Amino acid sequence: MSDSAPPTPPPNPSAAPPLRPVGPPAARPLDPDAGLADVGPVDPDAASPQDASGALPPGADDGPGGPPSDAEPAAEATVWSWRADWTAPLWRRPALTVGACVLAAAVLGARTFARPELAAVLYLGVVGALLVLVDLKLHRLPNPLTLPSYPIALALLGVAAAVEGDARPFVHALIGLATLWALYAVQWFLLPGQIGFGDVKLAGVLGLYLGWYGSDAWVTGVFLTYLSGGLVAIGLLLARRRGRRDAIPYGPFMVAGTFAAILAFAG
């Protein structure tokens, strides 16, 4: 009996070739100590929109570095929540947040002390300070601060008009609201990228207060807003801190112009 292996049978031409797996190869498990180059192939259809550096492609998400003042999530709620991302600049520096609100309310309140609209002005001081802090950090004017301010300010100024016994300031306030909102809406439509729609939402609230104090206050507030914003933009360009196409948050200039007009014309 021979110890040699039996001869290998000749291949059967009618037999089907062995099946190979269809589709992309499975990715190997990610070793936490391995570099990105050691990671196996990944299904491109299941890939995250982020690249290896963590950056998102244009249009994937408008975060803090996105468009000015209106980079708000599409489904952003109008209810306060400390878990919302826009609140981070407020609770991360609580001393600054409280100090800014107290200072703004104290300065405006001292100017309108013992007047029927005092409560409305104090509210504007607090919400204005919060908006400035958020806009400076995130370039956003969040809906939970701007949109509820319409009914709150209307109610407080309506009560002030009733206490004063004169409806004319309230009528002027409504005109100021509509006029300033329309001015910013036209600018947002004709000059896209110059301001965000968050600025348009804020404009109506500020126009309400400016209109309350009359046409001179309205014109002064708008003029100071554009003047201060333009001067700062030019200064940043000359200092090469910003380029011609770089956006700067516009909300702080709007709030500052309104505060200055109230201090000039209240009383």
Side-chain angles (χ1 to χ4, degrees):
M1 187 173 183
S2 175
D3 294 332
S4 60
T8 303
N12 185 0
S14 63
L19 296 177
R20 299 182 62 183
V22 179
R28 289 188 282 119
L30 179 62
D31 183 357
D33 297 325
L36 290 175
D38 297 327
V39 180
V42 180
D43 182 358
D45 295 331
S48 166
Q50 292 184 343
D51 59 18
S53 65
L56 292 173
D61 180 42
D62 289 326
S69 304
D70 67 338
E72 303 161 356
E76 181 178 62
T78 58
V79 181
W80 262 92
S81 173
W82 284 110
R83 295 182 179 180
D85 60 343
W86 63 266
T87 63
L90 304 179
W91 55 259
R92 285 180 179 172
R93 304 181 71 179
L96 176 62
T97 300
V98 174
C101 292
V102 171
L103 178 62
V107 171
L108 293 178
R111 186 70 177 92
T112 58
F113 183 72
R115 292 185 57 86
E117 72 271 14
L118 175 62
V121 172
L122 292 178
Y123 172 79
L124 177 65
V126 173
V127 77
L130 296 177
L131 285 166
V132 167
L133 294 177
V134 174
D135 201 17
L136 285 174
K137 188 66 176 178
L138 303 181
H139 289 203
R140 284 173 59 185
L141 295 171
N143 286 340
L145 290 177
T146 55
L147 297 186
S149 296
Y150 281 89
I152 294 174
L154 284 169
L156 293 175
L157 290 178
V159 171
V163 171
E164 202 171 50
D166 187 358
R168 287 176 299 176
F170 190 73
V171 174
H172 295 161
L174 294 178
I175 296 174
L177 182 159
T179 307
L180 196 57
W181 188 94
L183 175 64
Y184 275 78
V186 170
Q187 182 179 348
W188 171 79
F189 180 77
L190 296 180
L191 301 173
Q194 296 298 316
I195 63 171
F197 200 71
D199 299 319
V200 180
K201 299 174 189 176
L202 176 59
V205 177
L206 301 182
L208 183 70
Y209 282 89
L210 292 174
W212 174 272
Y213 290 107
S215 58
D216 290 342
W218 192 94
V219 172
T220 301
V222 174
F223 172 76
L224 291 177
T225 295
Y226 285 112
L227 177 64
S228 58
L231 290 177
V232 170
I234 293 173
L236 292 174
L237 283 174
L238 294 178
R240 297 186 178 180
R241 297 289 300 275
R242 291 287 191 278
R244 294 183 60 184
R245 300 193 175 204
D246 292 335
I248 61 174
Y250 201 61
F253 303 109
M254 299 172 65
V255 172
T258 300
F259 282 9
I262 291 176
L263 293 176
F265 290 92

